[in-house]
Structure formats: structure tokens, C-alpha cells
Amino acid sequence: MKKIIISDDIKQKIDLDLLEELSDFEVLTAYSKADILRIHRKEKAAVIITELYGAGMNAKQFCDQIRNDETLRDVSIILCCRDNEVERKEAAQCRANAVMPLPLNGSAFRQLVHEFLNIPSRGRYHAQFRARTSGTVSTSIDCSTENISVTGMLIKADAELRRGDLLQYSLDLASASPFSIQAEVVRNDRGRYGVRFSRIDPAALRAIEVLVSRNASAR
């Protein structure tokens, strides 16, 4: 059964019935970020929902502890903050998967949790490739992959990328010829970028499924 850890402060601000259509999950309540860490070490949650501020360690320290620990990093973190420039900017510096403004939009919150609970399995995949960035000025950058799923990859790049940037490149997935792929940058974690496929050949998806089944890894 998949676990969701939610801080008590956030739990009091939402209607958990928003998640009632989701099946096979359990909500665990925590009363501080240290408490979240304790529970996560034991339960290995799929999703953590917490606030930017609160007693004890700050959100950046909290996210760093999780992302720097191989036994804990396999989790999606939703960080909630007030909808103002200062807090949004501070939250963006943390290594969370998503930032949501308070008060939470019920449908957007439900959709995001549903997406994170259904993250496809990823497989280890190490390769070097060159990608072209789309935009007013197209540039060519060197990239390397860390893992891959049917929806995207985790990569490193020799240039600074931003969320929303589009990349076009080719990958050799042990097929007769390389596949052309277009992907969007959706996450920046200290130079490691999560990219989501926006255009990919169906044959490439089948090749990725085989690769993942052979080389399962953490998110």
C-alpha cells in the first residue's frame, strides 16, 4: 500500500475527501519535519506534503536531507506556501517536486497527488547525447542520462536549463536506429534536470519499457 505523509498544519487546511477516489493508499500525519523524516525512514512514503515554514528545521534543510539520502530520496515532495513573491521564491529554492500556493486549489491538488502516486517505474540508463534547446535562440548542449521511464528522464547538462525549456535529441535504446525525442524540463535539482517527454515514437516507448524492466531503479 502506498503511503502519503502530510503535516498536520496542511491536513487541517484541506478536505481529505478530495483524495477519496484514489485507491490503495494510506495517509500518515506528522507534526514536524523531523517527524516526517522519522516516519518516512520507517514507512518509505510515495508522497510527502508539508509547509514551507514551521517549527524546527527549515524546508530547504528538510528537502536536502531527503534528496541526499539514497534510502529516502525515492519520494515526491509537495511544498505548500502562501501565495506571495517572497515565499514562492524561497520555496522554489528547495528540492521539492512541486510547490502549491495556499489556500490549496482542490482539483489541482488532487490531480497532482494522483500524478505522483502513479509515477511510472524508472530504470538505470547511462548515456551521453547532445540536445538542442528550442526558443528564440537555439543552442546545442551536452547531456548525460541517469535514469529513464516511459514519461521522461533524469539528466545532467553542461548548461543551465529552466522549467519549461524544450529539448530535442536522439537516443540509442538498443534499437536498429536512434529515436528522436522532444522533452520539456519540469524539474531542476542542482544541475540534475527532470525532463518529461512531449513527443516520442511509440516504438521508443516499447524499448524504454523493456529497458526499465531490466534495470529498475528509484525515482
Side-chain angles (χ1 to χ4, degrees):
M1 177 178 291
K2 295 179 179 179
K3 310 292 178 65
I4 300 173
I5 303 176
I6 184 169
S7 67
D8 186 59
D9 285 347
I10 299 301
K11 186 177 180 181
Q12 294 181 33
K13 294 180 174 67
I14 65 173
D15 181 358
L16 290 180
D17 287 343
L18 290 169
L19 305 178
E20 62 183 0
E21 79 240 36
L22 300 176
S23 60
D24 193 30
F25 79 99
E26 179 183 0
V27 175
L28 305 172
T29 304
Y31 297 92
S32 68
K33 292 183 176 62
D35 196 27
I36 293 175
L37 285 172
R38 178 187 62 79
I39 296 172
H40 183 43
R41 285 192 180 96
K42 179 181 178 182
E43 302 290 345
K44 298 300 186 291
V47 178
I48 291 173
I49 306 165
T50 189
E51 67 279 356
L52 177 63
Y53 296 129
M57 75 181 74
N58 62 43
K60 186 176 185 305
Q61 293 172 327
F62 170 77
C63 290
D64 283 348
Q65 282 200 37
I66 290 178
R67 298 307 183 203
N68 293 335
D69 189 323
E70 291 186 0
T71 66
L72 300 179
R73 66 175 58 159
D74 184 19
V75 65
S76 296
I77 302 173
I78 300 174
L79 193 59
C80 302
C81 69
R82 289 182 296 182
D83 193 11
N84 61 61
E85 184 177 355
V86 172
E87 293 199 12
R88 288 198 306 270
K89 183 176 180 179
E90 185 173 346
Q93 302 304 311
C94 300
R95 300 162 73 182
N97 296 79
V99 175
M100 295 204 74
L102 295 169
L104 292 172
N105 177 290
S107 60
F109 172 73
R110 181 177 59 246
Q111 180 178 347
L112 186 61
V113 173
H114 187 279
E115 176 184 336
F116 285 154
L117 285 174
N118 290 278
I119 290 178
S121 297
R122 295 191 178 187
R124 294 182 297 276
Y125 176 65
H126 301 289
Q128 305 286 330
F129 64 96
R130 289 186 67 80
R132 294 198 66 81
T133 60
S134 299
T136 54
V137 178
S138 178
T139 58
S140 181
I141 60 175
D142 291 317
C143 304
S144 62
T145 64
E146 294 194 7
N147 60 46
I148 192 169
S149 77
V150 293
T151 59
M153 303 191 307
L154 182 64
I155 69 171
K156 292 183 179 179
D158 68 350
E160 184 175 350
L161 301 174
R162 297 175 298 179
R163 289 185 182 182
D165 284 350
L166 294 178
L167 304 178
Q168 295 180 337
Y169 51 92
S170 295
L171 285 181
D172 184 353
L173 297 168
S175 60
S177 60
F179 291 103
S180 296
I181 294 174
Q182 179 173 290
E184 178 185 356
V185 177
V186 295
R187 176 183 168 196
N188 179 0
D189 183 4
R190 295 185 175 182
R192 298 161 73 238
Y193 300 97
V195 300
R196 180 173 57 207
F197 299 139
S198 52
R199 188 172 67 238
I200 184 170
D201 189 280
L205 290 179
R206 290 193 293 272
I208 292 171
E209 288 176 346
V210 172
L211 187 153
V212 170
S213 68
R214 294 174 177 172
N215 303 285
S217 72
R219 287 198 294 273

